[in-house]
Amino acid sequence: MKVLILPDAAAASDRAAGIIAEFVRREVNPVLGLATGETMRPVYARLVALNDAGQVDFARVTTFNLDEYVGVPADHPASFAAFMHANLFDHVNINPAHINLMAGDAPDPDAEAMRYEAAITAAGGVGLQVLGIGRNGHVAFNEPTSSLASRTRVKTLTEATRRANAAAFAPDPVPRYAITLGIGTILSARRCLLIATGPSKAAAVARMIEGALGADCPATALQMHQQTTVVLDEEAASHLELRDYYETVHPAGAEPRLS
Ligand code: GLP
C-alpha cells in the first residue's frame, strides 16, 4: 500500500481529489467506483471546483457506487443516491446515462445485487475505486466477518454501523440491510484509493495497513491489492507504528519519482 499522510483533512481531501482528477484526465473511458460518507463530502466539493475551473471533464466518466440501503428509494434524503446527486452528480458535467446506482427499493434486492455486479463487468470493470473506512474496519458495507472473496450482495448491518449512520435517518431507524459491492468486487478494481480523516478512524486505519489479514477487519483485504493508495490526515494516521517509514517514503504525502 502507498500511504500518504497529509497535515489535515482539507489537505487530504485536496490530495484525494487530485488523484481522482488525474485518473479521469488520463483514461479514455474512465470508470470510477464511488463512496459516500462524511469523509467524501470535501473530496467531492474539490472535484466540483476542479470541474467548474475546467480542470477536469466528467463527460466521459462512468460511475458505480459502493452500496445502498435496502428499502430506501433514490429520492429518500438519506439514500446514497441522494447523497451522490447533492454532493457531486448535480454539479458536474457527467452524462446522467453514465451514472449507475443501486436501486435500494428494488423488489428483489438479491437480483438487484446480481444485476449491479454484472453491470460493472459489462462496463469493463472499475478503473479507480474510491473508498472510505468504517470505524470497525468495514469497507462499503462489508461488515466484519464478510468473506474476503465476496461479490455484490445483501448484507446485514452491525448495530455500530447503524448507530454511526443514525443522524441521516433520525427520527426513523437506520435500515437493517444494505446492498454492497463485495470485497472480491472491490479487489477487482484496477486501482483503489482509500481516504480516512479524523481520530475516530485511527485504530481501523492502523489495523488495515499494519494488522494481520482477517475477516474481523475487512479493510485488511486491501493488503492483497496491488495498487492501493491510502490518503490520511495526521489524526487518522496517529496509531500507525511505521509512520516514520511512510513519511520517509512520501514526505508530506509527496510521491517522488525514482530517477
Ligand atoms: C458508510 C459507508 C462506507 C463509508 C463509511 C464511513 O458505512 N457505507 O462506504 O466508508 O460509512 O463513512 P464516514 O466517511 O461518514 O465516516
Side-chain angles (χ1 to χ4, degrees):
M1 283 186 200
K2 189 186 282 185
V3 180
L4 309 180
I5 304 172
L6 283 297
D8 54 29
S13 306
D14 268 12
R15 189 49 189 283
I19 292 171
I20 298 166
E22 184 55 33
F23 168 80
V24 169
R25 286 186 205 110
R26 246 198 0 249
E27 296 278 312
V28 181
N29 291 307
V31 180
L32 279 176
L34 295 175
T36 52
E38 293 309 308
T39 313
M40 297 302 151
R41 285 189 204 271
V43 177
Y44 294 152
R46 183 78 188 123
L47 281 175
V48 170
L50 289 171
N51 185 247
D52 283 347
Q55 291 174 26
V56 63
D57 179 9
F58 277 79
R60 292 169 294 106
V61 172
T62 295
T63 65
F64 288 90
N65 260 77
L66 282 172
D67 42 16
E68 185 58 277
Y69 294 103
V70 167
V72 174
D75 61 2
H76 188 292
S79 72
F80 288 155
F83 176 98
M84 289 309 304
H85 280 283
N87 288 281
L88 184 67
F89 297 151
D90 292 352
H91 312 290
V92 294
N93 68 324
I94 192 165
N95 178 345
H98 295 171
I99 297 171
N100 294 279
L101 291 161
M102 296 165 181
D105 59 349
D108 182 345
D110 295 320
E112 175 63 4
M114 287 176 69
R115 178 196 72 77
Y116 205 74
E117 177 85 26
I120 294 173
T121 306
V126 169
L128 178 65
Q129 177 64 61
V130 179
L131 297 162
I133 185 169
R135 286 169 226 179
N136 65 359
H138 73 238
V139 280
F141 269 141
N142 293 286
E143 297 282 27
T145 72
S146 286
S147 156
L148 300 185
S150 49
R151 310 306 297 195
T152 306
R153 71 218 182 286
V154 175
K155 279 295 290 180
T156 307
L157 302 178
T158 62
E159 286 310 306
T161 296
R162 293 180 73 208
R163 270 196 304 277
N165 290 291
F169 285 92
D172 298 325
V174 178
R176 291 198 60 207
Y177 303 100
I179 304 173
T180 177
L181 257 62
I183 297 173
T185 320
I186 291 168
L187 295 179
S188 298
R190 276 186 289 122
R191 276 184 71 186
C192 292
L193 171 65
L194 186 140
I195 304 137
T197 53
S200 69
K201 302 294 173 69
V205 163
R207 173 82 172 84
M208 166 180 75
I209 297 172
E210 298 174 339
L213 177 69
D216 58 327
C217 179
T220 58
L222 291 167
Q223 295 174 13
M224 300 296 290
H225 193 275
Q226 287 187 318
Q227 278 212 68
T228 291
T229 300
V230 181
V231 177
L232 305 172
D233 67 356
E234 297 216 351
E235 289 180 330
S238 61
H239 290 197
L240 289 167
E241 284 192 19
L242 302 177
R243 183 171 165 173
D244 288 352
Y245 173 65
Y246 313 128
E247 292 190 317
T248 304
V249 182
H250 301 291
E255 294 183 74
R257 305 218 179 278
L258 298 179
S259 50

